[in-house]
């Protein structure tokens, strides 16, 4: 390991990143709370302010991926479709296999200049995660319980609110509903067999109702669906902890722009269309494992400097008083004070580790449990 790699793996570096992220995130949450008074007066101004505040937090994680770990992302796409990216609303269908697939999606949105406004259909539990979950509430993310009878009305109402959103956005959907594991895949293929659907090798069976209702309510304001298939070179298994340690990964992302008029309006036909899309995604993954390449033309979208500049702003604002506080605590000489400081560091470390644990595959949903086998449905 070189000197830079050794430095990036040190706990003190992690502590600095975590402190800046947590402190700035809580400040952003507090400011967002204050902006609630704008909603009844000027809803569009409220949205624009909160999209910038959202960027202040989200871009810090993108900075870790793109600049700290140096992860490279190559996009394979049709050159004719490329000029549309970042200049139109789109529904993004992304496979859900890796711990940092959401972060790669954020990186894509950042490179096209729409990270702060982008949306996601996420499980309701994430709404209670400090900073990220609280921030998402103010930028109108859509949360669901994965129980369709409960979700149908709330998801539909939330989608209606996005129809007059003033800025361009990507709306991300993980149609598989949970991250891929061998256990979940086995259960999913049993469901596919019971429903008479073709087996998939590299994906779980997509849940179609969330996608169908999103297409239905956003059809007139979203001109395209971006079918995104992500993989990593050399059988890499990326983790958020690895990114924090400065480990460099090599992501390949295949993006297909599918005009909305090519997607059926009827719910049943739309569901069949999505199942066919996942059969195609499975074929793309199979080809990638065989050749190491996706179809179409590879291109590397340049990184923008704003994520780094945002982090430097927060670091310069927050680190000096933090180190002043540490020096005063240590110089006090009190054993109780020092013990309290160590306890705070330990609690902070455990808290950050818990937040990272939310992204870990083996701590995901109970999708693959035998008890839940009969509960899986579209």
């Amino acid at each position: 390991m070189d000197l830079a790699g050794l430095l990036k793996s040190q706990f003190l570096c992690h502590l600095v990143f975590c402190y800046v992220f947590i402190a700035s995130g809580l400040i952003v949450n507090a400011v967002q709370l204050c902006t609630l008074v704008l909603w009844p007066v000027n809803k569009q101004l409220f949205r624009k302010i909160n999209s910038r505040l959202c960027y202040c937090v989200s871009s810090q994680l993108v900075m870790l991926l793109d600049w700290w770990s140096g992860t490279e992302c190559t996009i394979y796409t049709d050159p004719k479709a490329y000029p549309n990216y970042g200049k139109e609303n789109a529904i993004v269908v992304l496979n859900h296999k890796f711990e940092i697939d959401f972060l790669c999606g954020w990186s894509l949105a950042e490179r096209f200049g729409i990270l702060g406004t982008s949306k996601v259909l996420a499980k309701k539990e994430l709404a209670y995660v400090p900073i990220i979950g609280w921030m998402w509430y103010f930028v109108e993310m859509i949360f669901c319980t994965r129980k369709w009878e409960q979700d149908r009305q709330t998801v539909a109402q939330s989608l209606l609110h996005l129809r007059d959103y003033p800025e361009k956005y990507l709306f991300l959907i993980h149609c598989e509903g949970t991250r891929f594991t061998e256990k979940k895949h086995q259960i999913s293929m049993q469901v596919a067999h019971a429903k008479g659907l073709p087996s998939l090798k590299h994906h779980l069976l997509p849940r179609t109702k969330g996608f169908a209702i999103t297409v239905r309510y956003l059809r007139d304001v979203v001109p395209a669906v971006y079918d995104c298939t992500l993989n990593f070179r050399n059988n890499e298994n990326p983790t958020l902890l690895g990114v924090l340690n400065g480990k460099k990964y090599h992501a390949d992302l295949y993006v297909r722009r599918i005009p909305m008029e090519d997607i059926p309006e009827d719910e049943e036909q739309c569901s069949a269309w999505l199942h066919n899309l996942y059969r195609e995604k499975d074929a793309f993954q199979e080809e990638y494992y065989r050749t190491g390449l996706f179809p179409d033309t590879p291109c590397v979208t340049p990184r923008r400097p704003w994520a780094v500049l945002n982090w430097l702003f927060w670091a310069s604002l927050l680190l000096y008083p933090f180190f002043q506080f540490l020096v005063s605590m240590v110089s006090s000489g009190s054993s109780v004070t020092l013990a309290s400081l160590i306890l705070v560091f330990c609690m902070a470390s455990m808290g950050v580790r818990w937040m990272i644990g939310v992204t870990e595959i083996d701590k995901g949903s109970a999708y693959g449990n035998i008890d839940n086998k009969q509960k899986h449905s579209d």
Side-chain angles (χ1 to χ4, degrees):
M1 181 182 293
D2 59 14
L3 182 60
L6 181 63
L7 177 67
K8 290 178 178 180
S9 66
Q10 297 306 302
F11 173 74
L12 285 179
C13 289
H14 301 171
L15 182 64
V16 168
F17 280 123
C18 294
Y19 166 72
V20 172
F21 178 77
I22 292 173
S24 64
L26 292 176
I27 291 172
V28 166
N29 288 160
V31 175
Q32 287 182 306
L33 187 62
C34 295
T35 65
L36 282 175
V37 297
L38 289 175
W39 180 267
V41 179
N42 191 330
K43 181 172 69 173
Q44 304 299 31
L45 177 60
F46 169 90
R47 286 168 155 174
K48 290 180 179 180
I49 291 174
N50 275 281
S51 69
R52 274 67 179 176
L53 292 171
C54 177
Y55 182 85
C56 289
V57 178
S58 301
S59 65
Q60 293 186 48
L61 297 179
V62 173
M63 188 277 296
L64 285 176
L65 181 74
D66 286 349
W67 297 91
W68 179 252
S69 80
T71 292
E72 297 177 355
C73 185
T74 300
I75 298 174
Y76 291 76
T77 192
D78 182 352
K80 295 179 180 179
Y82 187 85
N84 293 291
Y85 301 156
K87 297 179 175 60
E88 63 180 1
N89 296 334
I91 298 169
V92 176
V93 177
L94 178 64
N95 57 313
H96 206 13
K97 187 173 184 178
F98 305 100
E99 288 185 12
I100 65 167
D101 47 27
F102 77 97
L103 198 49
C104 291
W106 285 10
S107 177
L108 175 68
E110 157 60 17
R111 295 183 188 210
F112 291 116
I114 50 177
L115 174 61
T117 58
S118 291
K119 315 298 177 189
V120 66
L121 180 62
K123 59 184 179 181
K124 189 175 182 180
E125 291 84 351
L126 292 177
Y128 305 109
V129 175
I131 301 173
I132 292 291
W134 299 347
M135 172 192 72
W136 278 0
Y137 173 81
F138 290 95
V139 289
E140 299 170 79
M141 297 293 181
I142 299 178
F143 298 102
C144 61
T145 63
R146 295 175 176 172
K147 297 178 181 178
W148 186 242
E149 294 308 316
Q150 297 179 20
D151 290 333
R152 179 186 292 273
Q153 185 174 355
T154 56
V155 170
Q157 190 65 36
S158 298
L159 289 169
L160 283 173
H161 289 160
L162 294 182
R163 290 183 60 83
D164 66 343
Y165 201 82
E167 299 178 277
K168 303 303 180 187
Y169 59 84
L170 299 179
F171 186 89
L172 173 64
I173 302 178
H174 291 296
C175 293
E176 295 161 270
T178 185
R179 284 196 178 94
F180 183 101
T181 67
E182 289 301 327
K183 184 177 181 180
K184 294 174 185 177
H185 181 253
Q186 181 182 4
I187 297 297
S188 182
M189 291 307 98
Q190 290 175 4
V191 174
H193 178 73
K195 293 186 174 183
L197 297 170
S199 295
L200 301 173
K201 186 176 181 180
H202 304 290
H203 299 83
L204 305 178
L205 189 68
R207 302 187 179 197
T208 61
K209 287 187 171 64
F211 175 79
I213 198 171
T214 301
V215 168
R216 175 185 173 188
Y217 281 93
L218 296 182
R219 179 176 291 274
D220 297 335
V221 296
V222 173
V225 168
Y226 295 169
D227 170 37
C228 298
T229 305
L230 176 69
N231 215 325
F232 288 84
R233 298 178 191 176
N234 306 316
N235 294 317
E236 293 171 329
N237 184 26
T239 64
L240 189 56
L241 191 58
V243 170
L244 188 60
N245 283 323
K247 184 174 181 180
K248 182 176 182 178
Y249 300 107
H250 301 79
D252 286 325
L253 183 66
Y254 179 38
V255 183
R256 291 191 296 167
R257 183 185 184 275
I258 304 171
M260 187 64 76
E261 54 265 26
D262 292 350
I263 303 173
E265 294 188 32
D266 177 76
E267 183 174 336
E268 186 174 336
Q269 293 179 3
C270 184
S271 297
W273 182 91
L274 185 64
H275 282 299
N276 184 64
L277 182 76
Y278 267 77
R279 286 195 290 271
E280 294 176 353
K281 291 170 76 70
D282 221 50
F284 295 144
Q285 286 286 44
E286 187 66 22
E287 181 69 11
Y288 184 89
Y289 284 118
R290 188 178 68 85
T291 66
L293 298 170
F294 281 123
D296 278 329
T297 305
C299 62
V300 178
T301 306
R303 296 174 295 182
R304 306 192 315 156
W306 306 117
V308 173
L309 294 176
N310 173 73
W311 188 85
L312 290 174
F313 165 77
W314 286 109
S316 62
L317 181 68
L318 297 170
L319 285 178
Y320 179 70
F322 176 64
F323 285 126
Q324 272 193 322
F325 171 74
L326 289 183
V327 170
S328 64
M329 292 284 282
V330 172
S331 61
S332 70
S334 169
S335 57
V336 175
T337 300
L338 293 176
S340 300
L341 186 61
I342 293 172
L343 179 61
V344 169
F345 280 167
C346 290
M347 292 177 63
S349 177
M350 291 173 61
V352 170
R353 190 64 188 84
W354 171 77
M355 294 177 70
I356 292 174
V358 172
T359 72
E360 293 181 345
I361 292 174
D362 60 359
K363 296 181 181 178
S365 74
Y367 178 103
N369 292 347
I370 297 299
D371 292 341
N372 290 285
K373 177 179 175 181
Q374 301 301 326
K375 298 181 181 179
H376 174 60
S377 65
D378 283 342

